[in-house]
Amino acid sequence: MPPIFSPHAHQILMALWLLASLLWLGGCATPPASSRDPHTAAARQRILGAAERLVGTPYVLGGESPDGVDCSGLVQYTYRQAGIRVPRTTVEQFRAGQSQRQVLPGDLLFFRTDASGDISHVGIYAGQGQMIHASSSGGQVRKVSLNQRYWQQRMVGGATFLGAGNPPVTRRELAINSPNG
């Protein structure tokens, strides 16, 4: 019995099947709807733009303006620039945000930085393994790498006010992502 397809046609069919399979599996890697929504993407850009403009701003305990900010005041001010209301304190922001297994630029990162054991610090994930935060020890708003051991040991988790959340996570489960790396 002669073959139904020539060897060349068989190779083409296999290549098409492989391509279709890869496209179907690619749907599993599609970013969450909150990162695809144009309004959410624009809000993330406004948050990051406002935060970037505040780099170098003095740290002022209780501050929430370009004259001076503390960590939660930085978050409150930058989110307000995007038209999003968030609570004032770090603990309130942690409780009100939607926990995230994967943070995207503009989402929040929370830390335990003092001996109390409570959530005591918040920063804004800037993408590419960096965050923008108001540093009391550095005396100003800074953009820093999250690869530093200090931050890795103190990270509690991530949260967002920009879309659907995921179940609560621990620091070890948190994945830091960026559309650009």
Side-chain angles (χ1 to χ4, degrees), residues 34-129:
S34 65
S35 66
R36 295 187 312 249
D37 175 47
H39 298 292
T40 301
R44 289 182 186 284
Q45 290 302 315
R46 285 191 299 274
I47 291 164
L48 290 174
E52 291 278 358
R53 287 187 296 277
L54 290 179
V55 170
T57 297
Y59 176 90
V60 174
L61 184 61
E64 53 190 57
S65 76
D67 295 331
V69 294
D70 62 12
C71 65
S72 58
L74 170 69
V75 168
Q76 190 177 49
Y77 175 81
T78 57
Y79 270 63
R80 190 175 23 202
Q81 302 312 298
I84 300 166
R85 293 182 61 152
V86 298
R88 175 60 183 95
T89 70
T90 301
V91 171
E92 291 169 338
Q93 291 170 358
F94 180 73
R95 289 181 183 151
Q98 297 172 330
S99 295
Q100 296 295 291
R101 288 191 187 279
Q102 295 184 323
V103 293
L104 295 168
D107 288 340
L108 305 181
L109 299 173
F110 294 92
F111 303 87
R112 288 189 176 104
T113 58
D114 63 24
S116 74
D118 294 332
I119 303 296
S120 54
H121 191 65
V122 62
I124 301 168
Y125 183 58
Q128 299 180 340

